[in-house]
Amino acid sequence: MAAPADLTVVDLSTADLHPAVDDPALNSMNFLNEVAQHYPDAVSLAAGRPYEEFFDVAALHRYLDTFRRHLADDLGLTPAQVHRTLFQYGRTKGVVHHLVARNLAVDEGIGVDPEAIVVTVGCQEAMFLVLRALRTGPGDVLLAVAPTYVGLTGAARLLDLPVRPVAGGPAGVDLADLRAQVRRARADGLRPRACYLMPDFANPSGTSVGLADRRRLLALAEAEDLLLLEDNPYGLFPAGDAERVPTLKALDTGRRVVYLGSFAKTVLPGARVGYVVADQRVAGADGTVGLLADQLAKIKSMVTVNTSAIAQAVIGGALLEHGCSLVAATVRERAAYTRNLRHLVAGLARRFPADASPVRWNVPAGGFFVVVTVPFPVDDALLHRSAREYGLLWTPMAHFYDAGAPVDALRLSVSAVTPAEIDLGLDRLAALVADELARRCASGPVA
Amino acid sequence: MAAPADLTVVDLSTADLHPAVDDPALNSMNFLNEVAQHYPDAVSLAAGRPYEEFFDVAALHRYLDTFRRHLADDLGLTPAQVHRTLFQYGRTKGVVHHLVARNLAVDEGIGVDPEAIVVTVGCQEAMFLVLRALRTGPGDVLLAVAPTYVGLTGAARLLDLPVRPVAGGPAGVDLADLRAQVRRARADGLRPRACYLMPDFANPSGTSVGLADRRRLLALAEAEDLLLLEDNPYGLFPAGDAERVPTLKALDTGRRVVYLGSFAKTVLPGARVGYVVADQRVAGADGTVGLLADQLAKIKSMVTVNTSAIAQAVIGGALLEHGCSLVAATVRERAAYTRNLRHLVAGLARRFPADASPVRWNVPAGGFFVVVTVPFPVDDALLHRSAREYGLLWTPMAHFYDAGAPVDALRLSVSAVTPAEIDLGLDRLAALVADELARRCASGPVA
């Protein structure tokens, strides 16, 4: 929020601060939040927040108690040790790591040493720690499947780590382009430290990588000696009864994958608890061999010390109440997201018939997001007009491309709305598109 | 924790990671924790944790409820808004900022716009965000009063920001040396971005800066165009009935001070909630003027998104239950710390009489820490011997100096022990010192 206008004495300028503060990636979320705050009555098909109907304050208290009892009854801690675990500074790598490991075994078939897990302040800190570890100097570069989650791009900006896009495409990742980008970076004298992607119902594209391509991707990572950063916030939400595809980490036999996990969509965002699985073996300067997780923990100790034990206790309790299965814990949510995704896709088809409208969209197999392609550039000005004149919020896809070039697409989210709001939102989108097409026809041919 | 010894296949080496992971500052806490874990039965005069006797699980639940009612009753939020505040992604700058501002007014006489506060994941994240904002390139340098809290040094390492020491001395900061260091840095073509210090009962030195020196320090900061980073975790704990000295921020009329706050010692560490007051006015690239807090929030959005709302609710509830006065909330703790500090100092005097012993120590006016000077170097090997042979833990002062040179001093902490443990610990310290002196006499004159 800007200071009152009469503050004419200035102490600093953003030019005195790290250049990231003026970067579009760091200003994107701010901008989108400001638009949303400015039009509080608009229908929001922008917010990627989880569904709110099932939030329950009593559950918070219950989760805390469940975890407290687990410490005493299952782990055999004394009352003093229980207090210390909940109230004091704690283990840098976290106190629910054993439950996270059990969850990964139960829901994902991932077998991992709990010591290879670092519990973080949301998945964002997990990304930040990994990028901090991997960026050693100006010769390092990160690859990321485009369009890219803006939180990844922003974290990289803060660390002066360039991000080079890899084509995503309808299959989720263009493997030929990935190989080409690795080789191009190396030819440029740069070291591609990793490739970041969301293989399941990606934000913002909604696309997923198929099983065969997952295997090919792992083989490529092995052949090119590349780490993969697998971010999986939406994997538990396939639409309907669709089978889930194994994660890269579940298929990873060569420790090529650093797995980034989130409880924001499966339990609640307000806890700010996520994690990273980093089982890579790292040789220390003294010749000992440890886990990448331990190097990340050292970094974490200087960023946030440790993740709030109280927040971890809430997540731990939620895991314990469902036998560490978040599939079991999110049956209602999955049904709501499925209903909404199908409602949105059907609603798009009704309003933009293929034979009469130039508007197109993808049909994701799950998750929160659908990308709608329109025959005109979608920029922030259009979003402002949509909010002001039509009472509708969405996200310009340009925010997810680093180049800043205009993109003829927008992202719709189905996660935090009702079917009635989707209907209202799509009616407004249809009116906006019709108006925009009419304007453009009036002023000349569509580009 | 190291992987099992039979893991001979190595994926990476620490040389492939950011150099900070091999830096002493990032390994110091790990090393000290490992020693403590290895000797769980040792008396610890090392741990800087707060007193544990008053921790109370029922209070956690009550705090959550108190804050929830505050949202509904005082702020007028609807039930849906209350749920959203506690469960969803939230305001980057936090949701207890208004209570923090009230606390600063009540306890510190600091008047600050709540918008100038960023609630952070402990004070560590506050330091990290400020250093990230201030470090723009290799020409920047940070000054820090030595000995220096290792968390500050570690955060600076992660950001490739060199830290130059400023002499502390018995007055807490040597103003002549500060001026000299500012000028030396500039003569070296470097930009000193700020000077970090703890003016109250510093960790590790225990020293405090007097009121007259605080005013001189602010004048010097103005004259030299320098920011001051004031870290104040212990200020509420003067020994006995001693008056508290106003913070630098309370005396700061020129927005020279960025104030770093912690609830770890006044409420509980397990919440991981701290904050930064950053009311400096920053001109943006577009000519608008905002607060430094808003630039820090942009950075925070890419490090941890926002601080756990559940953790904030616990702190918010604790503040509300005491009229936002942590002075009122910590009457029992202050009495315990006073008792312990006096007990330690008296115990040192009994065991090391001035006319018969070369051991010396300072007598802090409050806080958690006393520095004991001995006539021999205190290194990690001596700590190991102390733990193994005497069952006593303390902290080598060398860990708080960047140079890594041996220091003839150790830090004792009184915060998480009983008087009986202090007695036992000091008996063991006296035995260790006597043994060490005898060894050194046997092998030649003391250096």
Side-chain angles (χ1 to χ4, degrees):
Chain A
M1 181 177 289
D6 63 332
L7 299 182
T8 49
V9 180
V10 165
D11 305 307
L12 291 162
S13 98
T14 53
D16 300 319
L17 304 177
H18 189 271
V21 301
D22 277 333
D23 190 273
L26 272 82
N27 286 285
S28 165
M29 283 198 204
N30 265 5
F31 166 78
L32 296 171
N33 285 337
E34 275 173 23
V35 175
Q37 280 166 20
H38 202 74
Y39 300 98
D41 298 326
V43 171
S44 178
L45 296 175
R49 297 194 308 256
Y51 201 64
E52 298 181 346
E53 188 185 325
F54 308 124
F55 288 154
D56 172 10
V57 173
L60 284 187
H61 293 284
R62 211 178 58 233
Y63 293 156
L64 272 175
D65 280 334
T66 299
F67 184 71
R68 184 176 54 73
R69 280 197 307 274
H70 167 70
L71 293 176
D73 300 346
D74 301 341
L75 303 188
L77 269 56
T78 66
Q81 288 171 325
V82 170
H83 276 185
R84 200 167 291 161
T85 302
L86 290 174
F87 287 88
Q88 280 287 16
Y89 297 101
R91 184 173 174 277
T92 307
K93 291 196 289 184
V95 295
V96 296
H97 53 305
H98 57 300
L99 302 177
V100 175
R102 217 185 294 168
N103 166 245
L104 287 170
V106 170
D107 282 343
E108 306 290 355
I110 296 174
V112 66
D113 179 357
E115 290 294 335
I117 294 169
V118 183
V119 181
T120 54
V121 182
C123 189
Q124 186 68 35
E125 192 195 25
M127 291 193 303
F128 189 83
L129 299 179
V130 172
L131 298 191
R132 172 66 303 178
L134 293 178
R135 199 274 189 188
T136 65
D140 293 324
V141 67
L142 181 72
L143 306 179
V145 170
T148 310
Y149 173 54
V150 74
L152 185 278
T153 312
R157 283 290 185 285
L158 282 182
L159 296 166
D160 304 306
L161 176 62
V163 180
R164 290 188 170 196
V166 171
V173 56
D174 180 330
L175 295 172
D177 192 53
L178 172 56
R179 181 179 289 111
Q181 291 296 341
V182 170
R183 294 181 179 178
R184 193 168 307 160
R186 287 178 179 150
D188 292 345
L190 299 171
R191 186 161 62 151
R193 297 309 314 267
C195 178
Y196 168 91
L197 75 163
M198 280 191 207
D200 292 280
F201 324 126
N203 179 6
S205 70
T207 56
S208 298
V209 180
L211 180 60
D213 272 353
R214 291 182 194 222
R215 296 194 192 279
R216 284 185 205 109
L217 176 58
L218 287 164
L220 192 159
E222 185 72 32
E224 297 289 343
D225 191 15
L226 188 71
L227 278 177
L228 300 174
L229 310 185
E230 178 180 30
D231 189 3
N232 186 22
Y234 308 104
L236 293 197
F237 302 121
D241 299 323
E243 283 282 310
R244 291 188 296 126
V245 181
T247 62
L248 291 173
K249 191 64 193 166
L251 303 169
D252 176 34
T253 55
R255 297 182 305 281
R256 286 283 151 196
V257 178
V258 173
Y259 183 85
L260 303 162
S262 167
F263 296 109
K265 279 74 184 184
T266 50
V267 185
L268 74 163
R272 306 299 311 129
V273 176
Y275 62 92
V276 51
V277 179
D279 58 357
Q280 287 69 27
R281 297 167 189 164
V282 180
D286 59 359
T288 61
V289 177
L291 295 166
L292 180 57
D294 291 297
Q295 303 299 330
L296 298 178
K298 282 189 213 168
I299 296 172
K300 178 173 171 64
S301 73
M302 296 300 166
V303 178
T304 59
V305 181
N306 58 253
T307 302
S308 167
I310 294 162
Q312 289 186 72
V314 167
I315 298 300
L319 285 168
L320 286 161
E321 289 197 6
H322 297 92
C324 289
S325 171
L326 293 172
V327 171
T330 56
V331 169
R332 293 180 305 178
E333 286 81 357
R334 182 174 169 180
Y337 297 139
T338 297
R339 176 199 68 199
N340 284 0
L341 187 59
R342 289 178 174 168
H343 198 81
L344 182 90
V345 168
L348 284 166
R350 262 200 310 282
R351 288 168 183 85
F352 305 105
D355 55 354
S357 167
V359 175
R360 297 288 177 269
W361 56 91
N362 63 344
V363 181
F368 289 11
F369 307 111
V370 171
V371 175
V372 176
T373 305
V374 292
F376 47 79
V378 175
D379 58 14
D380 290 349
L382 186 66
L383 172 59
H384 266 297
R385 198 158 79 82
S386 174
R388 189 176 61 245
E389 297 178 18
Y390 293 90
L392 176 65
L393 300 172
W394 35 261
T395 310
M397 282 294 289
H399 282 249
F400 302 102
Y401 290 91
D402 215 15
V407 179
D408 291 0
L410 53 92
R411 187 195 76 177
L412 301 182
S413 171
V414 301
S415 59
V417 282
T418 61
E421 286 167 327
I422 291 172
D423 285 334
L424 193 57
L426 290 182
D427 286 344
R428 293 174 181 185
L429 181 66
L432 172 71
V433 168
D435 181 48
E436 190 68 17
L437 287 173
R439 284 173 180 238
R440 285 168 187 272
C441 287
S443 65
V446 168
Chain B
M1 179 177 292
D6 64 332
L7 298 182
T8 48
V9 181
V10 164
D11 306 307
L12 290 162
S13 99
T14 54
D16 300 318
L17 304 177
H18 189 269
V21 301
D22 278 332
D23 190 273
L26 272 80
N27 286 284
S28 165
M29 282 197 202
N30 264 7
F31 166 78
L32 297 171
N33 285 337
E34 275 174 22
V35 175
Q37 280 167 18
H38 202 74
Y39 300 98
D41 298 327
V43 170
S44 179
L45 296 175
R49 297 195 306 256
Y51 201 64
E52 297 182 348
E53 188 185 325
F54 309 123
F55 288 155
D56 173 10
V57 173
L60 285 187
H61 293 285
R62 212 178 56 234
Y63 293 156
L64 272 175
D65 279 335
T66 300
F67 184 70
R68 184 177 53 75
R69 279 197 306 273
H70 166 69
L71 293 176
D73 299 347
D74 301 342
L75 303 189
L77 269 57
T78 65
Q81 288 171 323
V82 169
H83 275 186
R84 200 166 291 163
T85 302
L86 291 174
F87 287 89
Q88 280 288 16
Y89 296 99
R91 185 174 173 274
T92 308
K93 290 197 288 184
V95 295
V96 296
H97 53 304
H98 58 298
L99 302 176
V100 175
R102 216 185 295 166
N103 166 246
L104 288 170
V106 169
D107 282 343
E108 306 290 355
I110 296 173
V112 66
D113 179 357
E115 290 293 334
I117 294 169
V118 184
V119 181
T120 53
V121 181
C123 189
Q124 186 67 37
E125 192 194 25
M127 293 194 300
F128 189 84
L129 299 179
V130 172
L131 298 191
R132 172 65 302 177
L134 292 178
R135 199 276 190 185
T136 64
D140 293 323
V141 67
L142 181 72
L143 305 178
V145 171
T148 309
Y149 173 55
V150 73
L152 185 278
T153 312
R157 283 289 185 287
L158 282 183
L159 296 166
D160 304 306
L161 176 63
V163 181
R164 290 189 169 195
V166 171
V173 57
D174 180 332
L175 294 172
D177 191 54
L178 173 56
R179 183 180 287 108
Q181 291 297 342
V182 169
R183 292 180 181 179
R184 193 167 309 157
R186 286 178 179 153
D188 292 344
L190 298 172
R191 186 161 61 151
R193 296 310 314 263
C195 178
Y196 169 91
L197 76 164
M198 280 190 210
D200 292 280
F201 324 127
N203 180 8
S205 71
T207 58
S208 298
V209 180
L211 180 59
D213 272 354
R214 292 183 192 221
R215 295 194 192 281
R216 285 186 204 107
L217 176 56
L218 287 164
L220 192 159
E222 184 72 31
E224 296 290 342
D225 191 16
L226 188 71
L227 278 177
L228 300 174
L229 310 186
E230 178 179 33
D231 188 5
N232 186 23
Y234 309 104
L236 293 197
F237 303 120
D241 299 324
E243 282 283 310
R244 290 188 296 127
V245 181
T247 62
L248 291 173
K249 191 65 194 166
L251 302 169
D252 176 33
T253 54
R255 296 180 307 280
R256 286 284 153 195
V257 179
V258 174
Y259 183 85
L260 303 162
S262 168
F263 295 109
K265 279 73 184 184
T266 50
V267 185
L268 73 162
R272 306 298 311 127
V273 177
Y275 61 93
V276 52
V277 179
D279 58 357
Q280 287 69 29
R281 298 168 191 162
V282 180
D286 59 358
T288 61
V289 177
L291 295 165
L292 179 57
D294 291 298
Q295 303 299 330
L296 298 178
K298 280 188 216 168
I299 296 173
K300 179 175 171 63
S301 72
M302 295 301 166
V303 178
T304 59
V305 180
N306 58 252
T307 302
S308 165
I310 294 164
Q312 289 187 74
V314 167
I315 298 300
L319 285 167
L320 286 161
E321 288 195 7
H322 297 92
C324 289
S325 171
L326 293 173
V327 170
T330 57
V331 169
R332 295 179 305 178
E333 285 81 357
R334 180 173 170 181
Y337 297 137
T338 297
R339 177 199 68 196
N340 284 1
L341 187 59
R342 288 176 174 168
H343 198 81
L344 182 91
V345 168
L348 285 166
R350 264 200 309 284
R351 287 168 183 86
F352 304 105
D355 55 356
S357 167
V359 174
R360 297 290 178 267
W361 56 92
N362 64 342
V363 181
F368 289 11
F369 306 110
V370 170
V371 175
V372 176
T373 306
V374 291
F376 47 80
V378 176
D379 58 12
D380 290 348
L382 187 67
L383 171 59
H384 265 297
R385 197 157 80 79
S386 174
R388 189 175 61 244
E389 297 178 18
Y390 293 89
L392 176 66
L393 300 172
W394 35 260
T395 310
M397 282 295 288
H399 282 249
F400 302 101
Y401 290 91
D402 215 16
V407 178
D408 292 1
L410 52 91
R411 187 195 77 176
L412 300 182
S413 170
V414 302
S415 58
V417 282
T418 62
E421 287 168 326
I422 291 173
D423 285 334
L424 192 58
L426 290 183
D427 287 345
R428 293 175 180 184
L429 181 66
L432 171 71
V433 168
D435 181 47
E436 191 67 16
L437 287 172
R439 281 171 181 239
R440 285 168 186 272
C441 286
S443 64
V446 168

